[in-house]
Amino acid sequence: MSLSRTTEKRHRRRPAGEVVSTPIRWVWLAAWPVTATFVLSNAATPLYALWQRDIGFSKGTLTVIFAFYIIGLLGSLLVSGVVSDRLGRKPVLLPALALALAACAIFATASTVTALILARLFTGIAVGAVVSAGMAAVSDVAGPQRARLAALLASCAMVFGAGFGPFLAGVVSEALPAPTTTVFVVEAALLVTAVAVVWRMPVHHAAPTAGSAGGAWIRLPGVPQGDGMRLLLGIAVFAPGITATSFVLSLGPSLLSDLLGTTSRVVAGAMAFVMFAAATGVQFAVQRLRRHTILRAGAVSTTLALIALVAAVYTRSVPLLVTSAVLAGAGQGMGQLGGLSLLNAAVPARRLAEANAALNVGGYVLAGILPVSAGYLSDALGLTTGTTVFAVILAALAIAGGLTVLTGHRRAPEPA
C-alpha cells in the first residue's frame, strides 16, 4: 500500500472533531492542482487568432467555443461537488486531471472548430471538478484552524493559474516552433506534476454523518439550511466579476487588434496575466478585512472596470483597456475570496465541495451567457456597440450585487 493511501486512511479513522495538524507546505502544495488546471483553462486565449486564421471562424463562433467550456464546467459542477463530499477528493481529482491531459492532446492537434469545442468542453469538465473538489481539498488539508488561509490559497491558486496560462501560452507560442502544439505539451507537463501531488496529498476527508449522504448524485449544488444568504452574497459579487474577466479573455484579443492593430500573442497573453495578477494580489491585500467589506469593494471594482471598458473602446485607448482589465481582475478576486471565505467559515467539511460548486454555478452561468451575446452582437453591430451594451448590462448587475451585500449582511452575519 502506498504512503499516500496509508496516510489518508489514518486520517479517516480519526475521531470526529479531532484537529489534525498538517505541515504547512502541504497546504500550499494542495493548491497546485488547482493552479495547474486553471493554467489550461485560459492557455488557448492567445492562440485563437492563429486558429481563426487557419480554420476561419467569426467572433460569434469564438465566443461559442468559449461557451462550451462553461457548459462543461456547469455540467461537472452538478455532480463533482456531491461525489467529492461522498467519496473523497482524490476519486474526483485524478479523473479530472486525466481529462485535462486529454484536452491538451486535442488542443495540440486541433484542425477544426469541432476539435476546439471538444477540447474546451473537456477543459470545462476538468475545471468544474477541480473548482469543487480541489478547492475543498485545500480546506481539508489545512484543517479548520487555517480556514482563512485555505480560502485565500484556493482562491489565489485559481486566479493565478487563470492568468499565468495565457501569458505562458503567449510567450511560448512566440518563442518556440509549432505554437499550438508546444504550448499544450508544456501544459501537459504541469498537469503531470499535479497528478503526483494529488496522489500523495495527505487529505483528511470528513466522513459523512447521518443524513448528509442523502439525495441525488446529480443535482443543482446547494448549501446547508441557514447558509443560503451567504451563498447569495458571494454570487451577487462573484458573478459580475468573473463575467467581466471572461469577456476580456474571449474578446480581449479582438479589442486589442481593433485598438492597436496588433495580433501579438504576447500582448494578448500579457493583458490577461496582468488582469489575473491583480486578482491574486488584491486578495492578499484585503485578506484581513471583514468579508462583507471585501464583497462591497469587489462590486465597486467591477463597476469601475466596465466604465473604463466603455471609455477605452470610444477613445481607442489601450491604457484604459488595461485599466479595465486590472479592475475586472480585482473585482473577480474580491468577489471570489469574499464568497469562499463566507462558505469556508460556515459550511461543514462534509458539504464544502458542494458549496464551492454552488458558488461557481452562480458565477459561471452569467459568465457563459453575456460574453456569447456580446460576441454575436459585435458581429452584427460592431465591436464598439456590442461592448457598450455588454458593459451597461453588467455594470447594472454589479451595482445590484453591491447593494445586495450592503442590505443583506444583517441576515448573514460574519461567521466566527
Side-chain angles (χ1 to χ4, degrees):
M1 181 179 294
S2 69
L3 177 60
S4 61
R5 291 182 181 177
T6 302
T7 303
E8 187 172 2
K9 285 192 174 183
R10 286 176 181 170
H11 283 309
R12 288 183 178 181
R13 292 193 195 106
R14 291 180 182 271
E18 181 178 337
V19 175
V20 180
S21 180
T22 304
I24 190 67
R25 69 178 184 277
W26 268 111
V27 183
W28 287 79
L29 281 172
W32 171 242
V34 179
T35 299
T37 306
F38 270 90
V39 169
L40 174 64
S41 71
N42 294 329
T45 297
L47 304 177
Y48 285 126
L50 292 178
W51 284 314
Q52 280 184 294
R53 181 197 67 196
D54 296 339
I55 301 172
F57 50 84
S58 67
K59 295 183 185 70
T61 300
L62 173 58
T63 55
V64 168
I65 293 170
F66 184 86
F68 266 87
Y69 164 80
I70 305 293
I71 291 171
L73 187 149
L74 292 175
S76 178
L77 289 173
L78 295 179
V79 63
S80 58
V82 175
V83 172
S84 175
D85 285 336
R86 293 183 183 182
L87 301 183
R89 311 312 182 200
K90 293 184 183 183
V92 173
L93 288 174
L94 291 173
L97 291 171
L99 199 60
L101 285 165
C104 284
I106 298 171
F107 269 130
T109 58
S111 59
T112 65
V113 169
T114 300
L116 293 176
I117 286 175
L118 185 62
R120 287 295 284 172
L121 182 66
F122 281 8
T123 302
I125 295 171
V127 167
V130 168
V131 158
S132 53
M135 298 175 88
V138 178
S139 296
D140 288 347
V141 171
Q145 71 276 23
R146 296 167 175 159
R148 271 191 176 268
L149 175 64
L152 176 65
L153 292 182
S155 185
C156 287
M158 175 179 167
V159 294
F160 178 77
F164 186 65
F167 180 71
L168 176 68
V171 172
V172 169
S173 66
E174 292 279 8
L176 298 176
T180 56
T181 298
T182 307
V183 165
F184 294 102
V185 170
V186 173
E187 166 58 9
L190 298 180
L191 289 169
V192 168
T193 66
V195 170
V197 169
V198 171
W199 191 262
R200 296 183 59 82
M201 187 187 298
V203 60
H204 37 278
H205 174 60
T209 59
S212 68
W217 285 81
I218 301 175
R219 68 183 189 225
L220 188 66
V223 293
Q225 187 174 3
D227 292 319
M229 179 54 69
R230 295 186 178 95
L231 175 63
L232 176 62
L233 296 183
I235 291 173
V237 179
F238 175 55
I242 199 169
T243 302
T245 57
S246 296
F247 177 85
V248 174
L249 289 170
S250 58
L251 290 179
S254 297
L255 284 170
L256 280 173
S257 177
D258 186 57
L259 295 175
L260 274 179
T262 179
T263 57
S264 170
R265 296 185 293 278
V266 173
V267 173
M271 186 172 73
F273 178 75
V274 168
M275 178 173 69
F276 284 112
T280 303
V282 75
Q283 292 183 68
F284 282 95
V286 303
Q287 61 174 306
R288 297 188 182 279
L289 297 179
R290 291 176 61 84
R291 297 172 179 95
H292 295 112
T293 302
I294 294 172
L295 288 171
R296 289 193 292 269
V300 170
S301 185
T302 300
T303 303
L304 293 175
L306 295 162
I307 294 171
L309 177 62
V310 173
V313 296
Y314 278 98
T315 61
R316 303 182 67 82
S317 169
V318 173
L320 277 174
L321 181 61
V322 174
T323 298
S324 173
V326 169
L327 289 168
Q332 179 190 331
M334 287 187 281
Q336 184 173 296
L337 177 62
L340 281 174
S341 296
L342 281 175
L343 296 177
N344 270 19
V347 176
R350 64 181 182 275
R351 294 288 304 277
L352 187 56
E354 185 181 355
N356 289 343
L359 176 67
N360 282 276
V361 165
Y364 277 105
V365 165
L366 187 64
I369 294 172
L370 279 189
V372 170
S373 302
Y376 277 103
L377 193 61
S378 297
D379 282 337
L381 302 177
L383 193 55
T384 298
T385 301
T387 300
T388 302
V389 173
F390 166 84
V392 169
I393 293 173
L394 191 58
L397 292 174
I399 292 170
L403 292 175
T404 299
V405 175
L406 194 62
T407 59
H409 72 278
R410 296 181 184 87
R411 294 174 58 190
E414 291 267 338

